[in-house]
Amino acid sequence: MDFIRAIILGIVEGITEWLPISSTGHLIIVEEFVKLNQTAAFKEMFDVVIQLGAILSVVVIYWRKLMPFNKLLKKSEQKTAREIQLTWRLWVKVFLACIPAIIVGLPLNDWLNAKFYNLVSVALCLIVYGIAFIIIERKYVPAHAFKIFDVDKLPYRYAFYIGLFQVLALMPGTSRSGATIVGALLIGVSREVAAEFTFFLGIPIMFGASLLKIWHFFKGGNSFGFMQFAVLLLACLVAFGVSMLAVRWLIGYVKKHDFTFFGKYRIVLGAILLVYAAAKAIFKI
Protein backbone atom coordinates (compact mmCIF):
# COMPACT_ATOMS: atom_id res chain seq x y z
CA MET A 1 0.00 0.00 0.00
CA ASP A 2 2.88 2.39 0.63
CA PHE A 3 3.74 2.30 -3.09
CA ILE A 4 0.22 3.50 -3.93
CA ARG A 5 0.50 6.18 -1.24
CA ALA A 6 3.91 7.21 -2.62
CA ILE A 7 2.37 7.66 -6.07
CA ILE A 8 -0.43 9.83 -4.65
CA LEU A 9 2.00 11.96 -2.65
CA GLY A 10 4.32 12.25 -5.66
CA ILE A 11 1.43 13.53 -7.79
CA VAL A 12 0.50 16.09 -5.13
CA GLU A 13 4.12 17.25 -4.84
CA GLY A 14 4.57 17.43 -8.60
CA ILE A 15 1.46 19.56 -9.12
CA THR A 16 1.77 21.88 -6.14
CA GLU A 17 5.53 22.50 -5.90
CA TRP A 18 5.63 25.06 -8.68
CA LEU A 19 2.11 26.44 -8.47
CA PRO A 20 1.64 29.22 -5.87
CA ILE A 21 -0.61 27.09 -3.67
CA SER A 22 1.88 25.52 -1.21
CA SER A 23 3.20 21.99 -1.73
CA THR A 24 3.95 21.60 1.98
CA GLY A 25 0.43 22.65 2.85
CA HIS A 26 -1.09 20.19 0.40
CA LEU A 27 1.12 17.36 1.66
CA ILE A 28 -0.02 18.09 5.22
CA ILE A 29 -3.63 17.98 4.03
CA VAL A 30 -3.26 14.78 1.99
CA GLU A 31 -1.37 13.06 4.80
CA GLU A 32 -4.45 13.52 6.98
CA PHE A 33 -6.03 10.81 4.82
CA VAL A 34 -3.10 9.10 3.07
CA LYS A 35 -0.52 8.11 5.68
CA LEU A 36 2.67 6.24 4.92
CA ASN A 37 3.14 3.20 7.12
CA GLN A 38 6.58 4.42 8.18
CA THR A 39 8.33 6.02 11.14
CA ALA A 40 7.78 9.70 11.90
CA ALA A 41 11.44 10.44 11.09
CA PHE A 42 11.15 8.79 7.66
CA LYS A 43 7.92 10.62 6.82
CA GLU A 44 9.45 13.96 7.80
CA MET A 45 12.44 13.28 5.58
CA PHE A 46 10.20 11.93 2.79
CA ASP A 47 8.13 15.13 2.58
CA VAL A 48 11.25 17.17 1.84
CA VAL A 49 13.30 14.78 -0.29
CA ILE A 50 10.54 14.07 -2.84
CA GLN A 51 11.12 17.68 -3.89
CA LEU A 52 14.26 16.41 -5.67
CA GLY A 53 12.01 15.00 -8.38
CA ALA A 54 10.42 18.41 -8.88
CA ILE A 55 13.85 20.04 -9.01
CA LEU A 56 15.03 17.72 -11.77
CA SER A 57 12.04 18.63 -13.94
CA VAL A 58 13.12 22.28 -13.99
CA VAL A 59 16.74 21.29 -14.70
CA VAL A 60 15.62 19.16 -17.65
CA ILE A 61 13.19 21.73 -19.10
CA TYR A 62 15.63 24.64 -18.77
CA TRP A 63 18.85 22.65 -19.31
CA ARG A 64 20.22 24.96 -22.02
CA LYS A 65 19.22 28.10 -20.12
CA LEU A 66 20.90 26.90 -16.93
CA MET A 67 24.01 25.17 -18.28
CA PRO A 68 27.06 27.45 -18.64
CA PHE A 69 29.33 24.75 -20.16
CA ASN A 70 29.11 24.04 -23.88
CA LYS A 71 30.72 20.62 -23.36
CA LEU A 72 27.52 19.48 -21.65
CA LEU A 73 25.26 20.77 -24.44
CA LYS A 74 24.38 19.25 -27.78
CA LYS A 75 26.04 20.78 -30.83
CA SER A 76 22.74 22.33 -31.86
CA GLU A 77 22.43 23.95 -28.40
CA GLN A 78 25.94 25.44 -28.17
CA LYS A 79 26.02 28.91 -26.61
CA THR A 80 27.82 32.04 -27.67
CA ALA A 81 30.24 33.74 -25.28
CA ARG A 82 27.55 36.32 -24.50
CA GLU A 83 24.99 33.63 -23.68
CA ILE A 84 27.45 31.89 -21.36
CA GLN A 85 28.08 35.19 -19.60
CA LEU A 86 24.32 35.68 -19.13
CA THR A 87 24.01 32.16 -17.70
CA TRP A 88 26.70 32.85 -15.09
CA ARG A 89 24.96 36.13 -14.23
CA LEU A 90 21.70 34.24 -13.80
CA TRP A 91 23.31 31.86 -11.32
CA VAL A 92 24.79 34.78 -9.39
CA LYS A 93 21.29 36.27 -9.14
CA VAL A 94 19.88 32.92 -7.99
CA PHE A 95 22.46 32.45 -5.26
CA LEU A 96 22.13 36.10 -4.23
CA ALA A 97 18.39 35.54 -3.80
CA CYS A 98 19.10 32.44 -1.66
CA ILE A 99 21.08 34.38 0.98
CA PRO A 100 18.09 35.63 3.05
CA ALA A 101 16.53 32.15 3.21
CA ILE A 102 19.85 30.63 4.28
CA ILE A 103 20.46 33.23 7.00
CA VAL A 104 16.94 33.04 8.41
CA GLY A 105 15.93 29.53 7.43
CA LEU A 106 18.79 27.50 8.88
CA PRO A 107 18.29 28.63 12.49
CA LEU A 108 14.48 28.96 12.40
CA ASN A 109 13.20 26.26 10.03
CA ASP A 110 12.96 23.44 12.57
CA TRP A 111 11.31 25.71 15.16
CA LEU A 112 8.77 27.03 12.66
CA ASN A 113 7.89 23.51 11.52
CA ALA A 114 7.49 22.36 15.12
CA LYS A 115 5.13 25.25 15.93
CA PHE A 116 3.23 25.78 12.69
CA TYR A 117 3.27 22.46 10.79
CA ASN A 118 -0.46 21.89 11.33
CA LEU A 119 -3.81 22.29 9.58
CA VAL A 120 -4.85 25.58 11.19
CA SER A 121 -1.57 27.37 10.44
CA VAL A 122 -1.58 26.08 6.87
CA ALA A 123 -5.21 27.17 6.39
CA LEU A 124 -4.53 30.69 7.66
CA CYS A 125 -1.46 31.10 5.44
CA LEU A 126 -3.41 29.84 2.43
CA ILE A 127 -6.10 32.45 3.06
CA VAL A 128 -3.77 35.37 3.85
CA TYR A 129 -1.65 34.93 0.73
CA GLY A 130 -4.71 34.14 -1.36
CA ILE A 131 -6.10 37.55 -0.40
CA ALA A 132 -2.68 39.10 -1.14
CA PHE A 133 -2.69 37.66 -4.68
CA ILE A 134 -6.14 39.07 -5.41
CA ILE A 135 -5.37 42.52 -3.97
CA ILE A 136 -2.07 42.79 -5.82
CA GLU A 137 -3.55 41.69 -9.14
CA ARG A 138 -6.66 43.89 -8.90
CA LYS A 139 -5.40 46.96 -7.09
CA TYR A 140 -1.64 47.18 -7.48
CA VAL A 141 -0.64 45.63 -10.81
CA PRO A 142 -3.07 47.65 -13.01
CA ALA A 143 -1.66 50.91 -11.65
CA HIS A 144 2.01 49.93 -11.93
CA ALA A 145 3.41 48.84 -15.29
CA PHE A 146 5.80 45.89 -15.33
CA LYS A 147 9.42 46.89 -15.84
CA ILE A 148 11.12 43.52 -16.31
CA PHE A 149 10.05 41.19 -19.16
CA ASP A 150 13.24 39.13 -19.54
CA VAL A 151 14.88 37.10 -16.76
CA ASP A 152 18.31 38.02 -18.20
CA LYS A 153 17.51 41.69 -17.53
CA LEU A 154 16.46 41.13 -13.92
CA PRO A 155 18.71 43.45 -11.83
CA TYR A 156 20.79 41.90 -9.05
CA ARG A 157 19.02 44.00 -6.43
CA TYR A 158 15.64 42.77 -7.67
CA ALA A 159 16.85 39.19 -7.31
CA PHE A 160 17.81 39.93 -3.71
CA TYR A 161 14.43 41.55 -3.01
CA ILE A 162 12.67 38.44 -4.33
CA GLY A 163 14.89 36.40 -2.04
CA LEU A 164 13.68 38.46 0.92
CA PHE A 165 10.10 37.51 0.08
CA GLN A 166 11.13 33.86 -0.13
CA VAL A 167 11.83 33.96 3.63
CA LEU A 168 8.06 34.22 4.15
CA ALA A 169 7.74 30.70 2.74
CA LEU A 170 9.34 29.26 5.88
CA MET A 171 5.81 29.30 7.28
CA PRO A 172 4.06 26.07 6.18
CA GLY A 173 1.18 26.86 3.86
CA THR A 174 2.69 30.07 2.49
CA SER A 175 4.14 28.54 -0.70
CA ARG A 176 7.69 29.33 -1.75
CA SER A 177 6.61 30.09 -5.30
CA GLY A 178 3.66 32.10 -3.99
CA ALA A 179 5.84 34.29 -1.77
CA THR A 180 8.45 34.94 -4.47
CA ILE A 181 5.85 35.64 -7.17
CA VAL A 182 4.02 38.11 -4.91
CA GLY A 183 7.32 39.85 -4.21
CA ALA A 184 8.29 39.92 -7.88
CA LEU A 185 4.95 41.42 -8.93
CA LEU A 186 5.25 44.14 -6.28
CA ILE A 187 8.63 45.30 -7.60
CA GLY A 188 7.53 45.37 -11.25
CA VAL A 189 8.59 41.96 -12.58
CA SER A 190 6.25 40.46 -15.18
CA ARG A 191 4.30 37.32 -14.33
CA GLU A 192 6.25 35.13 -16.76
CA VAL A 193 9.65 36.27 -15.47
CA ALA A 194 8.43 35.98 -11.87
CA ALA A 195 7.40 32.35 -12.45
CA GLU A 196 10.59 31.50 -14.35
CA PHE A 197 12.92 33.01 -11.77
CA THR A 198 10.97 31.19 -9.05
CA PHE A 199 11.69 27.91 -10.85
CA PHE A 200 15.42 28.66 -10.94
CA LEU A 201 15.50 29.87 -7.36
CA GLY A 202 13.95 26.60 -6.21
CA ILE A 203 16.90 24.51 -7.47
CA PRO A 204 19.55 25.37 -4.84
CA ILE A 205 16.98 25.98 -2.07
CA MET A 206 15.18 22.66 -2.49
CA PHE A 207 18.33 20.68 -3.24
CA GLY A 208 20.00 22.12 -0.14
CA ALA A 209 16.92 21.50 2.02
CA SER A 210 16.76 17.88 0.84
CA LEU A 211 20.43 17.20 1.58
CA LEU A 212 20.08 18.85 4.99
CA LYS A 213 17.03 16.75 5.83
CA ILE A 214 18.81 13.54 4.76
CA TRP A 215 21.82 14.47 6.87
CA HIS A 216 19.62 15.12 9.92
CA PHE A 217 17.81 11.83 9.29
CA PHE A 218 20.98 9.74 9.43
CA LYS A 219 22.57 11.91 12.11
CA GLY A 220 19.60 11.07 14.35
CA GLY A 221 20.53 7.41 14.14
CA ASN A 222 17.85 6.54 11.60
CA SER A 223 18.22 4.28 8.60
CA PHE A 224 16.00 2.75 5.93
CA GLY A 225 16.00 -0.45 3.94
CA PHE A 226 15.45 -1.29 0.29
CA MET A 227 11.64 -1.05 0.47
CA GLN A 228 11.74 2.41 2.04
CA PHE A 229 14.28 3.54 -0.55
CA ALA A 230 11.99 2.18 -3.30
CA VAL A 231 9.01 4.11 -1.86
CA LEU A 232 11.05 7.33 -1.77
CA LEU A 233 12.44 6.80 -5.27
CA LEU A 234 8.98 6.07 -6.69
CA ALA A 235 7.57 9.27 -5.17
CA CYS A 236 10.49 11.28 -6.62
CA LEU A 237 9.98 9.81 -10.10
CA VAL A 238 6.26 10.54 -10.03
CA ALA A 239 6.92 14.08 -8.76
CA PHE A 240 9.42 14.54 -11.62
CA GLY A 241 6.99 13.45 -14.32
CA VAL A 242 4.07 15.47 -12.98
CA SER A 243 6.27 18.54 -12.43
CA MET A 244 7.33 18.43 -16.09
CA LEU A 245 3.69 18.98 -16.99
CA ALA A 246 2.99 21.50 -14.20
CA VAL A 247 5.94 23.77 -15.05
CA ARG A 248 5.05 23.90 -18.74
CA TRP A 249 1.39 24.47 -17.92
CA LEU A 250 2.13 27.36 -15.55
CA ILE A 251 4.39 29.16 -18.02
CA GLY A 252 1.67 28.88 -20.66
CA TYR A 253 -1.00 29.97 -18.20
CA VAL A 254 0.73 33.18 -17.01
CA LYS A 255 1.18 34.34 -20.59
CA LYS A 256 -2.59 34.80 -20.83
CA HIS A 257 -3.86 35.02 -17.24
CA ASP A 258 -3.06 36.64 -13.92
CA PHE A 259 -2.76 34.90 -10.53
CA THR A 260 -6.25 35.77 -9.28
CA PHE A 261 -7.46 32.19 -9.76
CA PHE A 262 -4.76 30.88 -7.44
CA GLY A 263 -5.74 33.47 -4.86
CA LYS A 264 -9.36 32.31 -4.93
CA TYR A 265 -8.30 28.66 -4.77
CA ARG A 266 -6.16 29.32 -1.70
CA ILE A 267 -8.99 31.14 0.10
CA VAL A 268 -11.55 28.40 -0.60
CA LEU A 269 -9.16 25.61 0.40
CA GLY A 270 -8.10 27.49 3.53
CA ALA A 271 -11.72 27.98 4.57
CA ILE A 272 -12.49 24.29 4.06
CA LEU A 273 -9.46 23.34 6.16
CA LEU A 274 -10.53 25.63 9.01
CA VAL A 275 -13.96 23.99 9.02
CA TYR A 276 -12.37 20.53 8.94
CA ALA A 277 -9.95 21.42 11.77
CA ALA A 278 -12.83 22.73 13.87
CA ALA A 279 -14.91 19.59 13.23
CA LYS A 280 -11.92 17.44 14.05
CA ALA A 281 -11.44 19.21 17.38
CA ILE A 282 -15.14 19.18 18.31
CA PHE A 283 -16.05 15.66 17.24
CA LYS A 284 -12.60 14.10 17.84
CA ILE A 285 -12.43 12.83 14.26
Side-chain angles (χ1 to χ4, degrees):
M1 288 299 294
D2 268 0
F3 287 107
I4 296 175
R5 296 181 184 113
I7 291 172
I8 294 171
L9 293 170
I11 292 172
V12 172
E13 167 63 26
I15 293 174
T16 61
E17 183 58 54
W18 304 111
L19 305 185
I21 54 177
S22 178
S23 63
T24 301
H26 279 73
L27 286 174
I28 292 174
I29 296 164
V30 173
E31 285 168 358
E32 280 285 304
F33 311 98
V34 181
K35 297 181 183 293
L36 288 174
N37 187 28
Q38 303 292 339
T39 64
F42 179 83
K43 287 188 283 188
E44 183 181 348
M45 182 269 293
F46 176 94
D47 284 350
V48 176
V49 176
I50 60 172
Q51 295 175 345
L52 289 174
I55 295 171
L56 288 176
S57 70
V58 169
V59 173
V60 170
I61 292 172
Y62 290 98
W63 178 251
R64 186 180 185 277
K65 180 77 174 179
L66 296 169
M67 179 50 61
F69 305 111
N70 273 334
K71 289 183 179 179
L72 298 177
L73 294 172
K74 298 176 183 178
K75 274 192 175 182
S76 60
E77 297 178 338
Q78 297 287 293
K79 292 184 174 183
T80 64
R82 173 61 177 168
E83 287 175 321
I84 292 174
Q85 183 183 47
L86 289 174
T87 300
W88 281 116
R89 287 182 180 178
L90 174 61
W91 278 111
V92 171
K93 294 170 189 175
V94 167
F95 285 108
L96 184 64
C98 289
I99 292 174
I102 293 171
I103 292 174
V104 179
L106 286 178
L108 291 182
N109 188 54
D110 289 341
W111 179 83
L112 286 169
N113 277 339
K115 296 292 184 182
F116 300 103
Y117 198 88
N118 57 70
L119 280 176
V120 174
S121 296
V122 168
L124 291 175
C125 283
L126 283 169
I127 292 171
V128 168
Y129 285 92
I131 293 171
F133 264 124
I134 294 172
I135 291 175
I136 289 170
E137 287 287 12
R138 291 184 177 178
K139 303 294 183 181
Y140 183 85
V141 170
H144 297 76
F146 291 131
K147 295 174 275 189
I148 308 297
F149 293 91
D150 187 337
V151 73
D152 290 329
K153 296 180 180 179
L154 184 73
Y156 291 106
R157 69 180 188 280
Y158 278 33
F160 183 74
Y161 296 155
I162 293 172
L164 291 175
F165 278 91
Q166 183 173 233
V167 174
L168 299 173
L170 291 170
M171 279 288 291
T174 297
S175 169
R176 188 192 60 79
S177 60
T180 53
I181 288 172
V182 164
L185 293 177
L186 285 173
I187 60 177
V189 177
S190 70
R191 298 181 186 92
E192 188 173 355
V193 173
E196 195 171 283
F197 189 70
T198 291
F199 297 154
F200 303 153
L201 185 52
I203 296 173
I205 287 293
M206 292 157 60
F207 186 75
S210 297
L211 290 182
L212 189 62
K213 189 61 71 173
I214 292 172
W215 181 73
H216 279 304
F217 178 79
F218 288 112
K219 184 185 176 185
N222 302 293
S223 62
F224 55 80
F226 175 77
M227 291 302 292
Q228 288 174 310
F229 174 76
V231 167
L232 182 60
L233 179 60
L234 177 61
C236 286
L237 290 174
V238 172
F240 168 78
V242 176
S243 282
M244 292 283 287
L245 300 174
V247 168
R248 290 193 170 102
W249 179 85
L250 183 61
I251 287 298
Y253 179 87
V254 297
K255 289 178 180 179
K256 301 177 181 179
H257 307 87
D258 61 22
F259 288 102
T260 302
F261 167 78
F262 296 109
K264 293 177 180 178
Y265 172 85
R266 292 177 65 104
I267 293 169
V268 171
L269 181 61
I272 292 172
L273 287 182
L274 286 179
V275 172
Y276 173 73
K280 189 176 179 182
I282 295 171
F283 300 107
K284 309 298 181 183
I285 299 175

